[in-house]
Amino acid sequence: MKHLRPLRKYFWKYRWLFLLGILFVVLTNYFRILAPQLTGYVVNTVVHSVKGNTAAAAEKNYDVLVKAIISWYGQSNHNKILLAGITLLVLAVISGFFMFLMRQTIIVMSRHIEYNQKNEIFNHYQQLDTSFYKTHSTGDLMNRIAEDVSRVRMYTGPAIMYFINLAAVIGFSVFFMFKANPKLTLVALAPLPVLAIAIYFVNTVINKKSERIQALLSDLTTNAQESYSGIRVIKSYVQENAMFGFFKNNSEAYRQNALGLAKTEAIYFPSMALLIGLSTLITIMVGSLDVINKAPGANVGMIVEFVVYIQMLTFPVSAIGWTASMIQRAITSQKRINEFLLTEPEIKNEAQTVTPQLQGNINFANVDFTYPHTGINAVKNFSLQINKGDKVAIVGRTGSGKSTLAQLMLHMYNPQQGIITYDGVPVNKIDLQHLREQISYVPQDVFLFSESVSNNIRFGLQDATQQQIETAAKQASVHTEIERFEEKYNTMIGERGVTLSGGQKQRISIARALIKNPQVVVFDDCLSAVDARTEKEIIENLYRYLENKTAIIITHRIFSLFQFDKIIVLDEGKIVEQGTHETLIAQNGIYAEMYNLQQVQDN
Ligand code: ADP
Ligand code: MG
């Protein structure tokens, strides 16, 4: 249970709703518990009238309210039965009303808790480092925020409600049963613990089977989804039949398991009915023998009263097993949620951070970085001085460590050795948000939201005007293409919107970075899918845009049109050459080789 401790704060937050809920549970059960007594009274009235007696006395053990109601009925047996019928109906309505309120408080509380918990988890996810996302699959993250949270809700809502309900039902009915006839009470209650335990075990089996089915279903969905999104590859490789066979296998496994579950459930309900029936049967037999033997206090009305009690007890008692397995699942789920909530981001603000305005002087001093979970030494003893307003190109083959440098500049990782400074201030002393806000970063792998074009560009500057959005789009040389879309800037991107080409995506993501208009710009290979003519156009635009800014342009292509102040050639995490375009060509090394190769390819 200690895993559920993080939920306490929520119960405390919604304590009034919770207390009110408990009150309603008690009230709904109080009004329900009067019905068996009244029913017993009706039966006794009938028995008496058959014998020719006029009055059936109210049992001395009845609840005060029941006694008061009965005394108000008058003498006629006909009236008594009619009025008792109406009373039963009224009691049922009152009890039902409180039951409505009980669900409206406790289930509503659980929905509030669910909402809070989802937000808490989502917010925590966002604080975690990119490396956390590398080691946990998206599916896992989704599961914890969706599936696990809803299992915890089954505990904070239904499980707790049924548990309190059970306590109230047992409390009230056992109290009145014992008052009326202790012996019959023991007889009637004897089979119920067996029922509770049996249901608990069967439920555990059902849950295990359902989980297996859930997993199979998720395989099936993934399978189907991949076939739809990969349909072009499947068709061109003529693999339709193979894919179908694969799907059919998964589908068959799912069917087998679903049939197994259906069988277990089919056994479950009749067995439950059997146990409940047993309890009723024993009560009637023992009670009847007592009546025949004229045992003190035994009468037909009481047998009926007890049978109604048993009926009232069966649902809550069967809910014990059910509740217990719900709580168990909630514990497992909350444990999984806690695992993530207790994960601290490795990169976070130190106690004392500063918020300087970045001028654009950047220095790397002997920076060495190894990816923690793979042990790949991506950057080796890297030193570089970049001055305010410098335009620096970082060139190198795939895997040479270029993107890693960009990540380090944004303080997504801490280097194991060396230090990166902005205007002399170490990067880990600068407030994280403040730092990232002041750098325009275009990542290598473009990601756009399923939103309109303008909202995607506005992501870089929340209160941007349409004018600013268009200017940014023009600077990124994508404006004319957006204008050609039917809904222009309101065109939706993504699955339900237009399909953009790789180059268009890259340029929209450049526009998103440009609109921020900060002092430092980091472009990570963001022109790779752009054709040569557009590349030239963007570079001309960028020239003007970048005039007073510091720019680090990472690329595996060489932009000979752009006058870089410094070109760094990276290989296996180390600087192998540096200089300007002219000096590097003159050196006739890796850079010159790359350049010549590119010239051949372009022509
Ligand atoms: P480039 O951008 O020049 O292609 P990267 O900086 O992406 O190079 O990669 C440098 C090296 O680090 C490669 O060997 C790559 O496999 C590895 N690497 C890149 N990103 C990660 C990561 N998130 N986790 C582990 N290893 C990585
Ligand atoms: Mg890269």
Side-chain angles (χ1 to χ4, degrees), residues 134 371 373-374 376 378 397-404 413:
K134 289 266 155 47
Y371 280 101
H373 58 281
T374 56
I376 292 174
R397 283 187 261 269
T398 330
S400 55
K402 305 183 299 293
S403 296
T404 308
Y413 295 99

Side-chain angles (χ1 to χ4, degrees), residues 385-526:
Q385 168 68 33
I386 298 170
N387 296 321
K388 178 176 165 42
D390 273 359
K391 318 283 175 277
V392 177
I394 298 179
V395 190
R397 283 187 261 269
T398 330
S400 55
K402 305 183 299 293
S403 296
T404 308
L405 281 175
Q407 298 284 314
L408 290 171
M409 286 180 65
L410 284 154
H411 198 189
M412 294 288 185
Y413 295 99
N414 279 324
Q416 281 85 3
Q417 270 173 42
I419 189 164
I420 301 169
T421 55
Y422 283 90
D423 311 314
V425 185
V427 73
N428 53 358
K429 294 276 183 274
I430 304 175
D431 181 86
L432 267 183
Q433 275 77 26
H434 183 78
L435 173 77
R436 291 175 190 165
E437 263 163 21
Q438 294 189 74
I439 302 174
S440 264
Y441 167 58
V442 183
Q444 180 174 13
D445 39 353
V446 179
F447 180 83
L448 297 175
F449 295 94
S450 301
E451 263 287 345
S452 65
V453 173
S454 60
N455 280 346
N456 265 289
I457 298 177
R458 186 178 284 124
F459 194 76
L461 184 72
Q462 294 303 324
D463 47 7
T465 60
Q466 186 63 25
Q467 188 62 42
Q468 284 172 303
I469 291 174
E470 288 184 22
T471 310
K474 278 178 195 153
Q475 283 164 340
S477 306
V478 68
H479 173 72
T480 31
E481 276 154 89
I482 295 173
E483 285 287 307
R484 255 181 254 141
F485 295 150
E486 217 163 278
E487 296 188 52
K488 303 194 166 38
Y489 279 84
N490 292 325
T491 308
M492 293 298 287
I493 297 177
E495 277 205 346
R496 277 167 298 149
V498 290
T499 312
L500 298 174
S501 74
Q504 285 170 332
K505 283 189 199 156
Q506 282 186 336
R507 280 171 290 144
I508 289 177
S509 109
I510 293 173
R512 173 169 71 190
L514 296 186
I515 202 169
K516 272 169 89 172
N517 204 22
Q519 206 47 45
V520 179
V521 173
V522 180
F523 284 177
D524 189 355
D525 226 348
C526 55

Side-chain angles (χ1 to χ4, degrees), residues 332-382:
T332 323
S333 287
Q334 185 65 41
K335 200 170 138 197
R336 281 158 49 81
I337 294 172
N338 293 344
E339 257 170 43
F340 276 9
L341 288 183
L342 294 177
T343 310
E344 285 282 329
E346 267 166 51
I347 310 284
K348 56 182 177 197
N349 278 329
E350 290 185 1
Q352 299 271 310
T353 55
V354 288
T355 53
Q357 207 60 39
L358 298 192
Q359 300 301 313
N361 300 296
I362 308 168
N363 185 269
F364 289 80
N366 308 99
V367 172
D368 209 278
F369 177 71
T370 303
Y371 280 101
H373 58 281
T374 56
I376 292 174
N377 189 192
V379 172
K380 294 168 193 152
N381 199 23
F382 183 88

Side-chain angles (χ1 to χ4, degrees), residues 183 213 276 292 389 411 595:
K183 179 182 152 198
I213 290 180
I276 296 163
I292 291 170
H411 198 189
Y595 183 66

Side-chain angles (χ1 to χ4, degrees), residues 284-358:
I284 293 176
M285 288 190 39
V286 173
S288 306
L289 286 175
D290 277 354
V291 173
I292 291 170
N293 295 332
K294 299 214 163 38
N299 57 58
V300 182
M302 185 178 296
I303 300 175
V304 176
E305 189 184 327
F306 269 63
V307 168
V308 183
Y309 282 133
I310 293 171
Q311 268 182 4
M312 287 175 61
L313 279 168
T314 43
F315 175 71
V317 170
S318 46
I320 298 181
W322 193 45
T323 312
S325 63
M326 264 199 286
I327 294 178
Q328 235 176 22
R329 280 155 65 109
I331 292 174
T332 323
S333 287
Q334 185 65 41
K335 200 170 138 197
R336 281 158 49 81
I337 294 172
N338 293 344
E339 257 170 43
F340 276 9
L341 288 183
L342 294 177
T343 310
E344 285 282 329
E346 267 166 51
I347 310 284
K348 56 182 177 197
N349 278 329
E350 290 185 1
Q352 299 271 310
T353 55
V354 288
T355 53
Q357 207 60 39
L358 298 192

Side-chain angles (χ1 to χ4, degrees), residues 531-543:
D531 60 84
R533 205 170 54 95
T534 320
E535 183 183 292
K536 187 162 171 268
E537 193 185 321
I538 295 181
I539 286 174
E540 277 165 12
N541 286 335
L542 280 180
Y543 238 105

